[in-house]
Amino acid sequence: MRTQGSLAPLRRALLAGSAAAAAAGLAPYGDLIELARSGQAADDSYGQAADGGGDVDGDGFDDHLVTAIFNDDAASAAGKAYLYFGRAPAALEADLALLGEAADDQFGISAAIGGDFNADGFDDIAVGARFSDRAGKDTGSVFLFFGGPRPGLPGGMDALPDRVMTGERQDDWFGTSVDFAGDFNGDGVVDLVVGAPFNDDTGSAAGKGYVYFGGPAADALPDVFLFGDPQDDGQFGWSVSRAGDVNGDGYDDIIAGARLFGSGLSRAIGRAYVFLGGASPDGVPDVVMTGEARDDWFGNTVSEAGDFNADGFDDVAVAGIFWDDFSDPLAPRSAAGKVYLFHGGPLGVMDGQADWSAAGQGADDQFGFALAHAGDVDGDGASDLLVGAPFHDHDGDRAAGRVDLFLGRAGGAVPPSTAAFLRTGEAADDQLGSSVAGAGDGNGDGLSSFLAGARFSDPGGSGSGSATLSLLDCLDLDVAGSGIVWGGCAAHALIDLRRGDPSGLAAGDPGACLAASPAVSPVDDPQTPAPGAAFTYLAAVRNQADPNVSTSGFGSGGRARPPSPPCP
């Protein structure tokens, strides 16, 4: 697999300035470090789907998965999935490759990691192939791979599927969506949910969901069928997700979307449905949410949101990717997209009314095309939310794409509807944000990381695709007396610390080198400025795999700087 050996910063700061830094006219800076990987060949669409947060090899580090649906290794467009085991520092190369079976299967259109389906102590992997022909043309399949020790170790896992679930009929597109459902029936074992949006049981392409109970003897036969409204072309099951425990009864729940629900003046308004778990769960929805307007495609994407408001109940998020913003009648933004968050609570408290929302920034953004629970990225006790808008235009580059990170809030505070972080694609048609996923704690630092895919970026050839793994709190610069203190990057990268006058730095001066990792923090600076003086401290991150590769510097005021030569 060809990779990019780069570690690039996001474009906004997260951490607020401390009193010490403010007194010195500086601000400590916390940001993300990103490990970028690319597809191995042109037109692979690496980054189509991604998921993380499960410990597949049982080593205590969370692992993650990225797919390339048009990869040709097994056959033309058979598809491929790449498994990366967690470690510090994170690795560029995949540890295990999983392959589709046949041409045009699109293995990897959906992917999930993070459930111990067979109760053997190792988390497992599920990958959807919506055009698999195992049970008829385009019936679709889901391939389940059981976790285990790393390949090469006794009892190590391999790339052969351990269970294969298939759709019922031709053109069902079973496996368009898949997720581990948590413990839906309360037996102590994680279950699996799969969507087949073109199943015809309750109407032509009305759609259907399937739940498989996990256990040591779990088989490939569904245990519960899920249905939305019995309507032609509703496409229920286009999206499915675990929901967490939204009503606090001890059973995990499921959410599914029907993006084209509605007719007439409500055509394609869209719906999402929550199914509450229980000792004998059924396929009848318990909470129903509906989009705002015709052609919103509400329910195109659904996701667990963790406990976004830290009230003890899990929440869910739903996107209407074609929602139109008419807030400015002189400049309407069609298909901007909108994401809605619904707080959990006992039935009657949790209803179909959204509690929080955020909208896309431009016309045709399709904000919410990808959604994911990010974990608690900033460590404040509230869960955070990732949103992808792959058709966002940036600096004249059409469909460069964008990813936003929204931080939850505890203690009754209303979460802001503006992103704490955002990252934009680098070139036209990159479609950054075509997938997003929480990646768990992959490096053992106690903080969550996350993934973002750009399925049509070109680092490995035209349309090869790429994905970035982002890790929080690369740097935290602060003033301590006459010293400069940093922290947070030791597990990920080498550090160069520089200082300079902003006017000189703006002209391209990299600044004077104060220290090069592994120098011990703090570092004394005999010219530490007095409060208000115009000096900027910079820290540049170097790739451990190639210490000569230096990335953008991070200023003590929170601004990124161009790459500078490594310190001597």
Side-chain angles (χ1 to χ4, degrees):
M1 175 180 174
R2 277 177 278 177
T3 55
Q4 297 183 95
S6 63
L7 299 166
L10 287 191
R11 303 183 180 184
R12 295 194 53 184
L14 171 65
L15 303 183
S18 69
L26 305 169
Y29 184 58
D31 208 343
L32 298 184
I33 187 168
E34 289 192 329
L35 184 65
R37 307 182 177 106
S38 74
Q40 66 186 62
D43 300 319
D44 269 10
S45 289
Y46 175 90
Q48 173 72 41
D51 198 21
D55 185 7
V56 175
D57 62 339
D59 66 351
F61 291 90
D62 287 327
D63 309 317
H64 60 275
L65 192 71
V66 181
T67 72
I69 61 169
F70 295 119
N71 177 273
D72 301 331
D73 282 7
S76 176
K80 187 173 183 178
Y82 301 81
L83 174 63
Y84 302 87
F85 292 130
R87 56 170 64 86
L92 283 166
E93 300 291 340
D95 293 282
L96 187 64
L98 311 174
L99 294 176
E101 285 188 317
D104 300 316
D105 273 6
Q106 293 190 15
F107 174 88
I109 190 64
S110 59
I113 184 172
D116 183 8
F117 185 74
N118 63 333
D120 65 349
F122 296 92
D123 286 332
D124 305 317
I125 292 168
V127 181
R130 62 183 174 185
F131 295 143
S132 166
D133 298 336
R134 271 181 166 244
K137 182 173 173 53
D138 297 340
T139 299
S141 299
V142 167
F143 298 81
L144 191 61
F145 301 84
F146 293 156
R150 294 192 179 190
L153 296 176
M157 68 176 298
D158 56 34
L160 300 176
D162 296 281
R163 297 284 187 278
V164 181
M165 293 80 165
T166 60
E168 296 180 80
R169 299 178 188 87
Q170 179 174 314
D171 297 321
D172 271 8
W173 291 27
F174 175 93
T176 294
S177 56
V178 65
D179 202 4
F180 289 102
D183 187 6
F184 190 56
N185 64 336
D187 64 353
V189 184
V190 168
D191 307 314
L192 186 75
V193 58
V194 181
F198 290 100
N199 177 276
D200 300 331
D201 280 10
T202 61
S204 177
K208 186 174 181 179
Y210 302 75
V211 179
Y212 300 82
F213 294 155
D219 55 31
L221 300 176
D223 295 282
V224 178
F225 298 111
L226 308 177
F227 294 99
D229 289 87
Q231 176 202 298
D232 288 352
D233 299 316
Q235 294 186 17
F236 171 87
W238 183 267
S239 56
V240 299
S241 173
R242 57 186 176 267
D245 183 7
V246 298
N247 63 334
D249 65 352
Y251 295 92
D252 287 318
D253 310 313
I254 291 171
I255 183 169
R259 63 179 188 168
L260 298 187
F261 165 83
S263 59
L265 294 178
S266 296
R267 180 192 65 202
I269 190 173
R271 271 190 170 169
Y273 308 79
V274 172
F275 300 84
L276 297 180
S280 299
D282 58 36
V284 179
D286 297 279
V287 181
V288 179
M289 303 93 153
T290 306
E292 289 187 67
R294 186 174 77 171
D295 295 324
D296 274 5
W297 288 32
F298 176 89
N300 183 86
T301 327
V302 299
S303 176
E304 64 170 335
D307 191 358
F308 194 65
N309 61 336
D311 65 350
F313 295 92
D314 288 325
D315 309 318
V316 294
V318 184
I321 62 170
F322 289 118
W323 175 84
D324 301 324
D325 184 359
F326 294 114
S327 58
D328 182 353
L330 299 180
R333 296 179 299 154
S334 62
K338 190 172 183 179
V339 170
Y340 307 78
L341 192 129
F342 300 82
H343 292 326
L347 280 181
V349 174
M350 184 186 187
D351 53 25
Q353 302 300 310
D355 298 284
W356 175 93
S357 64
Q361 299 300 303
D364 301 315
D365 273 8
Q366 294 188 33
F367 181 79
F369 185 93
L371 285 176
H373 173 216
D376 184 5
V377 174
D378 57 343
D380 68 347
S383 296
D384 307 317
L385 184 68
L386 283 165
V387 181
F391 300 100
H392 175 81
D393 301 335
H394 176 67
D395 285 347
D397 290 332
R398 290 188 60 81
R402 171 171 166 156
V403 171
D404 288 45
L405 174 65
F406 296 90
L407 300 179
R409 289 289 184 268
V414 177
S417 57
T418 55
F421 283 104
L422 68 89
R423 182 176 184 270
T424 53
E426 297 177 356
D429 298 317
D430 275 5
Q431 295 191 19
L432 178 73
S434 45
S435 63
V436 294
D441 181 7
N443 62 349
D445 65 359
L447 296 172
S448 298
S449 55
F450 60 86
L451 293 157
R455 60 184 175 180
F456 292 136
S457 63
D458 303 327
S462 177
S464 61
S466 62
T468 51
L469 173 67
S470 301
L471 307 160
L472 179 66
D473 197 19
C474 173
L475 295 173
D476 184 359
L477 302 182
D478 204 349
V479 178
S482 63
I484 301 301
V485 181
W486 79 75
C489 263
H492 311 311
L494 307 174
I495 303 171
D496 294 319
L497 187 65
R498 297 175 176 269
R499 61 172 293 281
D501 185 300
S503 61
L505 295 168
D509 182 358
C513 182
L514 293 178
S517 181
V520 177
S521 175
V523 175
D524 287 331
D525 178 11
Q527 300 182 50
T528 298
F535 284 90
T536 299
Y537 288 91
L538 303 176
V541 180
R542 286 189 282 143
N543 189 340
Q544 282 192 333
D546 183 357
N548 292 316
V549 177
S550 179
T551 69
S552 300
F554 302 121
S556 54
R559 297 180 65 184
R561 303 297 312 179
S564 56
C567 281

